[in-house]
Amino acid sequence: LNKDIMFRRRETLASMCDERARMLQDQFNVSMNHVHALAILVSTFHHGKQPSAIDQVQMPIFRSKILSSEYRVTSVFPLNMCGYVLAMKINFHCQLFGQKTFEDYTERTAFERPLTSGVAYALRVRHSEREHIEKQYGWTIKKMDIDDQTLAQECNPENFSTSPVQDEYAPVIFSQKTVSHIVSIDMMSGKEDRENILRARASGKGVLTSPFKLLKSNHLGVVLTFAVYNTNLPPDAMPDERINATVGYLGASYDVPSLVEKLLHQLASNQTIIVNVYDTTSEVSPIKMFKQKPPPPLQAISAFVGVLVITLLLGHIFHAAIKQIA
Ligand code: WA2
């Protein structure tokens, strides 16, 4: 009889596993496609038009609060009355409306990216352009150097130190509200983000980092990056051609604990399970990405079937699922 129960539990777990693995794979593909479409949107509306037409994606609402920072930024232009107004308009447009439009658009389309915790756009900035960009946006480019203690606390871009001189930078200029804490931070100053940026722009493909601790939440997660080019490159374009045509990077972060929560929430049933997630890309040292604490009186829950272990293979994302019986 005991053997029979074990057998049935194993069957139940196996199908729950398969269902969740398939759902992860599907939702990841959906999210990835939409992030890719966002990269094309930025390329078309922000870089493809002079001046940026990103605000025509959706008419922004005028906010008078914005006006003070706009004056601060434009006052650097030593222009006559006419030119001053002109400079004001351009700044208003790119710097503030651009961010507001991106924020609104990405928030309203968040349902298209079910597993992501936020998307952001980092601009490619050469050292020679740094001063101009910093004046235009009204902040200095920050370095992603922050110890674990500070990470756990409020993560405000003001707490980051100014970036030292580099050949080039990738400061975030637009972000979904959920990740607004990375605006002005140079994404090339973080090891994982930097590697992703370099691979994305040379390959023209969506690329994924290994799991690492994300800023602010300090949760383990991964980042997906697509390069944004200033022309519509053919699929067979050479890496050098791609690197030269790169103007920025569109990225999305996946926060694993919230991903598991969302997944469990959507598949809630009368069965009780514990979900653990491992990245098994490296067979010798799998990375524990999420470990759910078991509720105390586990054996007392009649619906408890076991511990579900989802393994992620980052080469083939969310490739397989295996299971255990507690
Ligand atoms: N996004 C959110 N949280 C993070 C993070 C990130 N990167 N890196 C560390 N914590 C704008 O690939 C370009 C997003 C990086 C894209």
Side-chain angles (χ1 to χ4, degrees), residues 8-9 17 39 48 66 70 86 93 106 154-155 220-221 248 276 292 297 303 307:
R8 251 180 291 145
R9 283 191 174 183
C17 251
I66 278 165
E70 179 213 357
L86 189 72
H93 191 83
T106 52
E154 247 321 81
C155 179
L220 265 188
N276 296 334
Q292 203 175 359
V307 181

Side-chain angles (χ1 to χ4, degrees), residues 107-250:
E107 205 54 51
R108 292 176 66 190
T109 55
F111 68 92
E112 298 253 32
R113 305 176 300 275
L115 301 177
T116 62
S117 51
V119 288
Y121 179 62
L123 190 68
R124 181 183 195 179
V125 177
R126 265 71 163 213
H127 184 67
S128 59
E129 304 158 324
R130 175 176 178 169
E131 211 185 313
H132 175 76
I133 294 292
E134 289 184 333
K135 275 188 183 143
Q136 183 183 346
Y137 288 93
W139 36 244
T140 55
I141 299 177
K142 309 294 190 314
K143 189 170 87 180
M144 207 193 290
D145 68 337
I146 192 157
D147 52 68
D148 281 355
Q149 259 188 329
T150 326
L151 266 174
Q153 297 160 9
E154 247 321 81
C155 179
N156 182 331
E158 299 303 315
N159 296 339
F160 290 83
S161 57
T162 299
S163 167
V165 173
Q166 302 287 332
D167 288 347
E168 60 172 303
Y169 314 83
V172 171
I173 59 165
F174 300 147
S175 79
Q176 195 175 336
K177 232 196 194 110
T178 49
V179 290
S180 61
H181 54 277
I182 62 171
V183 171
S184 81
I185 298 174
D186 174 18
M187 287 295 133
M188 285 181 111
S189 63
K191 183 179 169 290
E192 293 81 2
D193 277 297
R194 180 190 178 84
E195 285 170 2
N196 235 29
I197 282 171
L198 298 178
R199 279 193 302 143
R201 72 186 191 186
S203 69
K205 302 214 160 49
V207 300
L208 210 56
T209 63
S210 298
F212 70 106
K213 280 193 174 177
L214 297 176
L215 291 170
K216 189 162 183 174
S217 73
N218 214 13
H219 291 165
L220 265 188
V222 295
V223 170
L224 170 71
T225 303
F226 281 95
V228 174
Y229 302 106
N230 60 10
T231 54
N232 188 8
L233 289 164
D236 62 349
M238 297 304 285
D240 275 349
E241 199 183 336
R242 293 191 171 280
I243 293 168
N244 283 333
T246 303
V247 285
Y249 319 95
L250 203 291

Side-chain angles (χ1 to χ4, degrees), residues 20-38:
R20 281 163 177 80
R22 213 175 316 115
M23 189 164 128
L24 267 175
Q25 181 70 63
D26 286 353
Q27 295 210 348
F28 189 84
N29 288 345
V30 169
S31 298
M32 192 169 68
N33 284 339
H34 196 259
V35 174
H36 192 180
L38 272 179

Side-chain angles (χ1 to χ4, degrees), residues 54-71:
I54 192 158
D55 299 320
Q56 288 163 26
V57 174
Q58 184 203 308
M59 273 314 283
I61 305 150
F62 180 85
R63 285 194 308 198
S64 61
K65 196 182 86 186
I66 278 165
L67 215 59
S68 57
S69 61
E70 179 213 357
Y71 273 111

